[in-house]
Amino acid sequence: MADERPPTKVSTTQTSGEEKTIDVVKEYMRIAYSPTENKGRSSVAHLCTQDSVFFAPTTFPNCKTPLDYADSHAKVMSAIADLHITSFDIVFAKERHVLLRYSAEGSHCGEPHNEIRPSGNKAKWHAAAIFEVRNGKIYSFTKEWDKLHMWKQLGWMRGAEYA
């Protein structure tokens, strides 16, 4: 398969081990953000440890593992069927930790979202994540993202509340 990863804008010199750690994270992100490849947890299970954890209490409160996140994200992508990462804005690793800031975009062109019919509205957003990779697999994934910014652009807000 050809490398379909978005460009990296800013990075630093990394050791070969850190480069491999970054590659694991980018592969997880490539699959998790692919409307065609992300079928949920089974799509990324080979990249995660058995005891992996996920932290994003304000945006994905019910997700406890990177596998849960892949499941949840697959549902989002059923509504935003053209969702994709446009760039890895900042990427660097220190030993087994990876910081990744990325930009993404998409439109509500797929399935209804919480009974809101597809509008074609487009959105662009940024998010950041910190990963810990152990023995070549993702152990932890912490995500920081302003979900409401995206939802406002897509028309998924009902007054001050999201739908």
Side-chain angles (χ1 to χ4, degrees):
M1 174 187 296
D3 188 357
E4 300 171 14
R5 295 179 186 161
T8 298
K9 291 183 176 180
V10 177
S11 192
T12 61
T13 303
Q14 307 291 164
T15 67
S16 62
E18 290 166 340
E19 285 291 343
K20 288 177 185 172
T21 299
I22 290 170
D23 286 344
V24 170
V25 168
K26 285 184 173 181
E27 181 64 2
Y28 175 91
M29 294 296 286
R30 184 188 68 75
I31 295 169
Y33 278 75
S34 169
T36 57
E37 288 189 61
N38 184 356
K39 306 298 183 202
R41 66 183 52 240
S42 63
S43 303
V44 296
H46 66 287
L47 297 169
C48 301
T49 65
Q50 293 286 340
D51 58 344
S52 60
V53 293
F54 177 81
F55 303 101
T58 60
T59 54
F60 291 93
N62 297 322
C63 294
K64 305 301 180 203
T65 73
L67 304 176
D68 296 340
Y69 175 76
D71 285 341
S72 180
H73 209 252
K75 291 176 188 170
V76 169
M77 288 187 303
S78 71
I80 309 172
D82 61 350
L83 188 153
H84 61 281
I85 295 174
T86 56
S87 65
F88 292 124
D89 304 323
I90 302 170
V91 180
F92 64 86
K94 179 64 176 165
E95 297 172 0
R96 64 184 188 210
H97 292 89
V98 175
L99 173 97
L100 177 66
R101 182 187 189 272
Y102 56 98
S103 298
E105 64 184 16
S107 60
H108 189 189
C109 62
E111 299 293 321
H113 173 79
N114 292 345
E115 300 177 13
I116 298 171
R117 299 183 78 53
S119 63
N121 289 352
K122 296 179 181 182
K124 294 182 179 187
W125 62 93
H126 310 282
I130 301 170
F131 291 85
E132 181 180 352
V133 176
R134 294 182 180 174
N135 299 315
K137 294 191 175 202
I138 293 169
Y139 167 69
S140 72
F141 174 6
T142 302
K143 181 172 178 145
E144 186 63 38
W145 170 53
D146 180 1
K147 174 169 77 174
L148 298 183
H149 176 69
M150 180 191 91
W151 285 33
K152 285 178 185 176
Q153 294 174 71
L154 293 172
W156 292 358
M157 302 292 291
R158 292 186 181 147
E161 298 296 317
Y162 61 90

